[in-house]
């Protein structure tokens, strides 16, 4: 069994196998209903528990579908329904019990430390469904979407991130090393990428560049990505932060300097960081991006259970 915690720790080859498995799986399900089971039911007899410290629409429901389609059962609990959230039961004891009652855990946590500690005590796979500093299942799925639309390996493309230096960007930066793609990051001066992630990325990918001007960062790129300025874990002065990002709002002017066939992606939910005309344009592929999460997460689950084709 394997955990799926951060892209940095997973061998390049394995990440590539997850994506190629997902491609076959998506094709196979072209005429299926959401809850139709895959013929092979590779996770038949298993039960997956998903625990959410924070709100979720996409991650929660796409994992629900992924687990069901693979023939397993799923229970979703909010963290405040468990003892360990309130400190009444240790992470170690909770993990011991869950390792017996369940076959796999998906956790969205408000603490990186908790994710790490939990993974050490569990004897069953743990999948990271977002922490304050990472969102690896989102980014692996986004790479799938980019390659599906562009019909070429992401290593041949230039990606641009415009927005906050947050958890989604950290996972995107890790992906740029694993998949060897060029990444331009545009953010205000005081919001530079987290040094813990950035220094490792810079040592391993010299094609990651930071700009303080979105027009420079977006020039001739194939993909523009963004996320909310205010994340779930942000304890900042929201008004001030939104003001600081005013110049970084993605509008038609910014899209125009990218390649003609450039696409726009956003993990959702959105805030005010993208104009309505860009968000609802033909270049925006956000709905396909969300749909693809189910396919990729099925392959992530199979990777964890050593059942990848
Ligand atoms: N993109 C994403 O993870 O969305 P949710 O917060 O709704 O799960
Ligand atoms: N950066 C966002 C991502 C939501 C999917 C957050 O952490 O709230």
């Amino acid at each position: 069994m394997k955990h799926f915690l951060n892209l940095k720790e997973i061998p390049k080859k394995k990440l590539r196998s997850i994506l190629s498995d997902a491609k076959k799986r998506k094709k196979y399900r072209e005429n299926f209903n959401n809850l139709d089971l895959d013929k092979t039911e590779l996770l038949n007899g298993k039960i997956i528990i998903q625990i959410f410290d924070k709100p979720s629409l996409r991650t929660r429901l796409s994992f629900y579908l992924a687990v069901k389609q693979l023939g397993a059962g799923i229970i979703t609990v909010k963290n405040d329904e468990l003892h360990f959230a309130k400190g009444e039961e240790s992470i170690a004891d909770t993990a011991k019990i869950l390792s017996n009652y369940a076959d796999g855990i998906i956790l969205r946590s408000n603490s990186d430390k908790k994710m790490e500690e939990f993974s050490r005590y569990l004897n069953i796979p743990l999948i990271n469904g977002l922490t304050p500093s990472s969102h690896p299942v989102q980014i692996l799925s986004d790479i799938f979407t980019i390659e599906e639309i562009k019909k070429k390996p992401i290593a041949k493309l230039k990606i641009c991130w415009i927005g906050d230096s947050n958890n989604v960007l950290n996972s995107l930066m890790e992906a740029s090393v694993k998949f060897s793609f060029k990444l331009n990051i545009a953010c205000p001066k005081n919001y530079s990428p987290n040094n813990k992630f950035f220094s490792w990325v810079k040592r391993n990918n010299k094609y990651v560049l930071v700009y303080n001007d979105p027009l420079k960062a977006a020039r001739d790129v194939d993909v523009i990505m963004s996320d909310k300025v205010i994340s779930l874990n942000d304890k900042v002065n929201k008004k001030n932060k939104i003001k600081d990002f005013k110049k970084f709002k993605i509008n038609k002017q910014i899209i125009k300097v990218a390649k003609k066939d450039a696409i726009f992606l956003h993990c959702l939910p959105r805030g005010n960081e993208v104009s309505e005309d860009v968000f609802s344009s033909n270049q925006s592929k956000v709905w396909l991006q969300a749909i693809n999460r189910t396919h990729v997460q099925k392959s992530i689950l199979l990777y964890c259970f050593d059942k990848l084709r």
Side-chain angles (χ1 to χ4, degrees), residues 55-60 108 130 135 138 267-269 293:
S56 168
L57 175 68
R58 283 142 287 264
T59 305
R60 172 186 172 139
R108 168 168 288 195
L130 183 147
H135 199 1
Q138 174 74 55
C267 61
L268 302 174
R293 304 249 341 245

Side-chain angles (χ1 to χ4, degrees), residues 10-60:
I10 303 171
K12 222 192 261 189
K13 257 189 154 167
K14 290 286 173 199
L15 293 172
R16 203 22 99 189
S17 331
I18 293 172
L19 291 182
S20 53
D21 185 74
K23 195 171 170 185
K24 285 181 234 155
R25 264 169 209 292
K26 182 169 179 182
K27 180 130 196 57
Y28 164 73
R29 285 196 67 90
E30 258 165 17
N31 298 312
F32 281 50
N33 293 312
N34 276 337
L35 271 187
D36 289 344
L37 295 183
D38 285 1
K39 211 167 123 209
T40 43
E41 291 183 45
L42 287 166
L43 297 189
N44 185 18
K46 298 199 184 299
I47 176 122
I48 308 295
I49 301 193
Q50 29 177 15
I51 304 169
F52 286 85
D53 280 359
K54 308 183 190 190
S56 168
L57 175 68
R58 283 142 287 264
T59 305
R60 172 186 172 139

Side-chain angles (χ1 to χ4, degrees), residues 34-250:
N34 276 337
L35 271 187
D36 289 344
L37 295 183
D38 285 1
K39 211 167 123 209
T40 43
E41 291 183 45
L42 287 166
L43 297 189
N44 185 18
K46 298 199 184 299
I47 176 122
I48 308 295
I49 301 193
Q50 29 177 15
I51 304 169
F52 286 85
D53 280 359
K54 308 183 190 190
S56 168
L57 175 68
R58 283 142 287 264
T59 305
R60 172 186 172 139
L61 290 171
S62 53
F63 265 120
Y64 176 86
L65 289 176
V67 170
K68 295 294 276 186
Q69 289 172 9
L70 290 169
I74 183 158
I75 296 174
T76 302
V77 283
K78 291 216 254 147
N79 202 26
D80 61 4
E81 294 163 354
L82 301 169
H83 300 288
F84 83 138
K86 296 165 225 146
E88 288 163 357
E89 186 161 30
S90 69
I91 291 181
D93 288 2
T94 309
K96 183 83 186 155
I97 294 297
L98 285 172
S99 296
N100 288 298
Y101 282 162
D103 298 286
I105 307 288
I106 297 152
L107 174 66
R108 168 168 288 195
S109 181
N110 52 20
S111 156
D112 286 283
K113 199 167 159 271
K114 188 158 114 191
M115 182 71 72
E116 192 274 321
E117 213 177 318
F118 209 30
S119 74
R120 277 192 283 118
Y121 291 113
L122 279 170
N123 296 323
I124 54 175
L126 174 65
I127 297 177
N128 172 359
L130 183 147
T131 70
S133 77
S134 61
H135 199 1
V137 292
Q138 174 74 55
I139 286 300
L140 194 58
S141 177
D142 292 350
I143 289 168
F144 179 91
T145 303
I146 291 167
E147 294 192 338
E148 179 182 53
I149 295 169
K150 292 290 173 188
K151 297 185 177 36
K152 52 174 100 153
I154 195 165
K156 299 206 162 133
L157 301 169
K158 201 187 249 188
I159 314 299
C160 172
W161 172 271
I162 302 179
D164 193 23
S165 294
N166 63 12
N167 45 3
V168 180
L169 174 63
N170 291 338
S171 293
L172 180 66
M173 290 195 296
E174 291 193 352
S176 80
V177 172
K178 294 287 167 172
F179 292 95
S180 311
F181 59 84
K182 297 190 175 89
L183 175 62
N184 287 352
I185 299 164
C187 57
K189 271 204 176 92
N190 296 336
Y191 296 88
S192 300
N194 179 314
N195 212 36
K196 188 180 134 208
F197 289 83
F198 191 63
S199 50
W200 177 80
V201 170
K202 271 310 263 185
R203 277 200 304 279
N204 292 287
N205 182 359
K206 62 177 186 248
Y207 298 109
V208 179
L209 302 170
V210 180
Y211 297 83
N212 300 128
D213 179 348
L215 284 167
K216 282 188 183 149
R219 187 158 304 281
D220 293 327
V221 300
D222 300 279
V223 183
I224 295 182
M225 298 175 74
S226 192
D227 184 15
K228 279 195 298 191
V229 170
I230 310 289
S231 279
L232 289 164
N233 60 297
D234 263 353
K235 288 177 190 71
V236 291
N237 181 317
K238 294 186 182 155
K239 251 185 157 171
N240 285 350
K241 191 169 177 188
I242 289 170
K243 212 163 89 202
D244 292 341
F245 276 85
K246 215 170 148 204
K247 220 180 80 187
F248 293 79
K249 181 167 177 152
I250 300 159

